[in-house]
Structures are given as structure tokens and as C-alpha cells.
């Protein structure tokens, strides 16, 4: 529509392409359509592709069937709707065949979303989490602001329990002809990151490779964490406020001594069992989603893939900002 306004003003194609950040070929196609059919010819015609196989009236019925719950349709083991169960339900009721991924896209178009079972930890303190949001976070991020850089710290690991996705493949998908099962990952040890509260700054990431030698530590230790923070301090050239969880390694006497030696470092602990207030957890979930059903042949292959996945978010500031927005923590600092 902006291009149509510029066509009416007689602006040149090259200027329009530069202003709208598109190719000149696209602008020429828009102008040709505009000359033949006016502004209506430029309106969106919807996403391309085939029409939905499930008629609108059947979609309304499907929503009603889902509201009845799995027990109403013969599943009594548990009351969780999965894409495979919805696929079976559609086949029984409407005699329309869908794939599991097709059912997922259908449910998204109908307004359904993935839900996680509510299994709160027994030691979770809701009052402490609320107090941390309202009081502690305001101290970490005062309205006036200062020159200290706020960092959220989190860690994750890839062990030998591969995350399972909706599809595990078949014999023809694997070069060796072996059927893909939940594949054991080669041990890589721990991954750590510090995510700045300002998305314009890149996260600082560290990957520790575990080779399986006798006596070698699988996870990150105090020295690994402090080297990560030293690297962040060298990168940002400013005092740091680090917000991290209560992992035993980060609350040990050795870590407290290392933190006390650094005047530029302030550590704030998150409340227990509250991953939803740490945006780094959202980043790890985003990265791990692309590693489901991974069949890594060698440790080097897995390490290369992890480094590539960790590097990608450094150049996508909108995604990094989304991780912080998902926690509900507001940034009041003007700078």
C-alpha cells in the first residue's frame, strides 16, 4: 500500500525499492499490477498453497470434540491431547487423512497452542518469586539506571539422553540403513551463556567439551564460570551485575571468593525453581528445539553444530529481546 501511494506521487522505481528495502523487480511487478487493477490488485490474497483439507464446518466440530477431552473418545490412560491422537480422531470422525506435522499446523490455524503440564516443584515459593520481581529486580534495574551492564546467566548441557521430537525417521533416512531410535548424544559436557538485558549487545557464550577421560569433569566448574564473566567484562568494558540461579557451583565458597576478588562484579541470585524469570532458559529452549532427534556420528560433529546454533542468536537482536520480554521483566533504563 505504501508503494501504491508512491506510484501515485510519481516516485521513481529505484527510490521506491530503496525506501521499502525490496528489489526493483518486485516494484516493477507491483506497478504493473497497480496499473491494471489499482490498489485492490495489490491486496494480499492469503498464503499460497492448497486449501485446508478439513472443511470449516468440520473444524468447528473438531474444536468441540477436543473440548470433550481424550476420555470422551476412548483414551483413558491420560488426559493429554497429542498431535498423534488428534490425527487419529480426525480420521475416525471425518475420514480425512493427516500427517502429524499437518495436524500441528491445522491446530495452530484454529488457534490452539502447545501446552505444558503444570508440575510445579515442591520447593517452589510463589511469594519469593513475586517479591523478587517487585523488589529485587527494581534494585538490579533502577529507574534512573547506571553504567553497569545487566547480564542474565544460565547453563545447559547435552548428555546421552537425546531429546525426542515428533519424528524419529526410518531406515532409508540413515546412510547406514539403521533405524533411528532415541539416539545417544556424544558427551559434550556443559554450555554456559550470559545474556545482556539490552538486546543490542551480543550474548557471551562458552562451550566445554567433555572427552570422557577418567576423572574429567562433565559440567562447568567455578573456573569456567569466572572465565566467562571475565570475558564479558573485557567485552563490555563496564562493571557487571550478573543474575544467576542457585546452582551449587555458583553458590560455593570457591565461587564466592572469586566474586569477592572482582570489584566490578555484583551477583544477584534468582529465586529457587523459577526458570521463567531467567531469559537465558528461553534461549536454551530455542536452541535445543532444533536439536531434537539428532543422530550425531562423532563428538566433533555435535560440537560444530552446537557452536553454529550458539552463534546464530548473536546476530538476531529481535529474538534476544523476545527472551527477555517472555520473562515479563521490564527495562526502565532510558539508555
Amino acid at each position: 500500500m505504501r508503494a501504491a501511494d508512491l506510484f501515485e506521487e510519481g516516485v521513481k522505481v529505484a527510490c521506491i525499492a530503496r525506501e521499502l528495502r525490496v528489489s526493483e523487480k518486485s516494484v516493477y511487478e507491483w506497478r504493473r499490477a497497480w496499473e491494471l487493477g489499482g490498489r485492490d490488485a495489490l491486496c494480499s490474497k492469503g498464503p499460497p498453497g492448497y486449501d485446508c483439507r478439513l472443511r470449516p464446518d468440520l473444524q468447528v466440530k473438531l474444536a468441540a470434540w477436543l473440548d470433550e477431552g481424550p476420555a470422551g473418545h476412548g483414551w483413558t490412560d491420560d488426559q493429554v491431547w497429542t498431535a498423534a491422537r488428534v490425527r487419529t480422531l480426525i480420521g475416525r470422525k471425518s475420514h480425512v487423512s493427516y500427517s502429524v506435522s499437518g495436524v500441528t499446523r491445522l491446530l495452530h490455524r484454529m488457534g490452539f497452542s502447545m501446552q505444558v503440564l503444570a508440575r510445579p516443584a515442591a520447593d517452589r515459593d510463589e511469594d519469593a518469586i513475586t517479591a523478587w520481581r517487585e523488589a529485587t529486580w527494581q534494585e538490579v534495574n533502577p529507574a534512573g539506571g547506571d553504567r553497569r551492564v545487566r547480564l542474565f546467566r544460565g547453563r545447559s548441557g547435552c548428555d546421552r539422553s537425546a531429546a525426542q521430537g515428533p519424528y524419529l525417521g526410518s531406515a532409508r533416512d540413515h546412510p547406514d540403513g539403521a533405524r533411528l531410535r532415541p539416539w545417544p548424544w556424544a558427551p559434550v559436557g556443559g554450555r554456559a551463556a550470559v545474556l545482556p538485558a539490552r538486546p543490542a549487545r551480543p550474548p557471551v557464550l562458552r562451550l566445554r567439551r567433555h572427552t570422557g577421560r577418567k576423572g574429567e569433569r562433565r559440567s562447568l566448574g567455578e573456573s569456567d564460570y569466572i572465565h566467562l564473566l571475565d570475558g564479558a567484562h573485557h567485552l563490555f568494558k563496564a562493571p557487571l551485575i550478573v543474575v544467576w540461579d542457585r546452582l551449587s557451583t555458583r553458590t560455593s565458597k570457591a565461587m564466592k571468593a572469586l566474586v569477592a576478588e572482582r570489584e566490578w562484579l555484583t551477583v544477584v541470585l534468582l529465586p529457587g525453581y523459577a526458570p521463567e524469570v531467567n531469559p537465558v532458559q528461553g534461549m536454551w529452549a530455542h536452541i535445543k528445539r532444533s536439536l531434537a532427534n539428532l543422530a550425531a556420528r562423532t563428538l566433533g560433529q555435535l560440537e560444530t553444530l552446537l557452536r553454529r546454533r550458539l552463534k546464530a542468536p548473536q546476530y538476531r537482536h529481535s529474538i534476544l529481546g523476545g527472551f527477555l520480554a517472555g520473562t515479563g521483566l521490564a527495562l526502565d533504563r532510558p539508555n
Side-chain angles (χ1 to χ4, degrees), residues 42-278:
L42 297 178
C43 294
S44 173
K45 298 177 179 59
Y50 296 102
D51 295 333
C52 184
R53 302 178 63 185
L54 202 64
R55 300 194 310 269
D57 59 326
L58 292 178
Q59 293 184 22
V60 175
K61 292 182 179 180
L62 176 60
W65 295 333
L66 296 178
D67 290 339
E68 296 174 1
H73 300 278
W75 287 284
T76 57
D77 296 338
D78 56 68
Q79 298 305 296
V80 178
W81 279 119
T82 63
R85 287 184 176 181
V86 177
R87 173 193 177 186
T88 303
L89 179 65
I90 294 175
R92 289 178 183 174
K93 299 290 187 178
S94 60
H95 304 288
V96 177
S97 177
Y98 266 93
S99 64
V100 174
S101 59
V103 169
T104 303
R105 292 191 292 270
L106 172 65
L107 294 176
H108 284 185
R109 290 196 299 270
M110 294 175 58
F112 290 91
S113 62
M114 184 185 301
Q115 301 295 317
V116 180
L117 295 178
R119 294 179 180 177
D123 296 335
R124 180 182 171 92
D125 189 346
E126 297 294 343
D127 294 336
I129 296 174
T130 302
W132 192 93
R133 286 178 177 273
E134 297 178 354
T136 307
W137 173 245
Q138 299 302 325
E139 297 177 0
V140 174
N141 183 61
D146 53 40
R147 63 182 298 268
R148 293 182 294 179
V149 178
R150 278 75 176 169
L151 297 177
F152 287 90
R153 162 71 183 79
R155 64 98 180 91
S156 182
C158 288
D159 55 21
R160 301 186 67 86
S161 301
Q164 298 184 32
Y167 174 71
L168 294 181
S170 61
R172 64 178 179 272
D173 297 323
H174 200 276
D176 295 339
R179 184 171 180 82
L180 298 185
R181 299 183 181 276
W183 201 267
W185 278 346
V188 171
R191 296 175 289 170
V194 287
L195 181 64
R198 300 296 296 179
R201 290 171 170 171
V204 184
L205 306 168
R206 180 177 294 271
L207 174 66
R208 185 179 188 276
R209 177 172 176 171
H210 175 69
T211 59
R213 296 187 181 93
K214 184 177 180 180
E216 182 181 10
R217 182 178 180 133
R218 289 178 177 268
S219 60
L220 297 172
E222 288 85 350
S223 60
D224 298 308
Y225 291 137
I226 206 65
H227 290 161
L228 179 65
L229 297 179
D230 288 339
H233 177 58
H234 178 74
L235 175 64
F236 297 125
K237 297 179 175 58
L240 304 181
I241 298 180
V242 179
V243 182
W244 61 25
D245 55 22
R246 299 173 183 269
L247 186 69
S248 58
T249 308
R250 293 193 281 275
T251 57
S252 63
K253 293 182 178 179
M255 177 57 69
K256 292 180 180 179
L258 292 173
V259 171
E261 295 174 358
R262 290 157 174 81
E263 298 180 356
W264 46 266
L265 179 59
T266 302
V267 172
V268 178
L269 294 178
L270 287 166
Y273 301 95
E276 70 275 9
V277 296
N278 191 351

Side-chain angles (χ1 to χ4, degrees), residues 303-318:
E303 182 179 2
T304 301
L305 182 61
L306 283 173
R307 291 187 184 279
R308 190 177 304 161
R309 293 290 191 274
L310 291 170
K311 194 174 185 63
Q314 292 181 303
Y315 304 98
R316 305 181 68 180
H317 298 159
S318 59

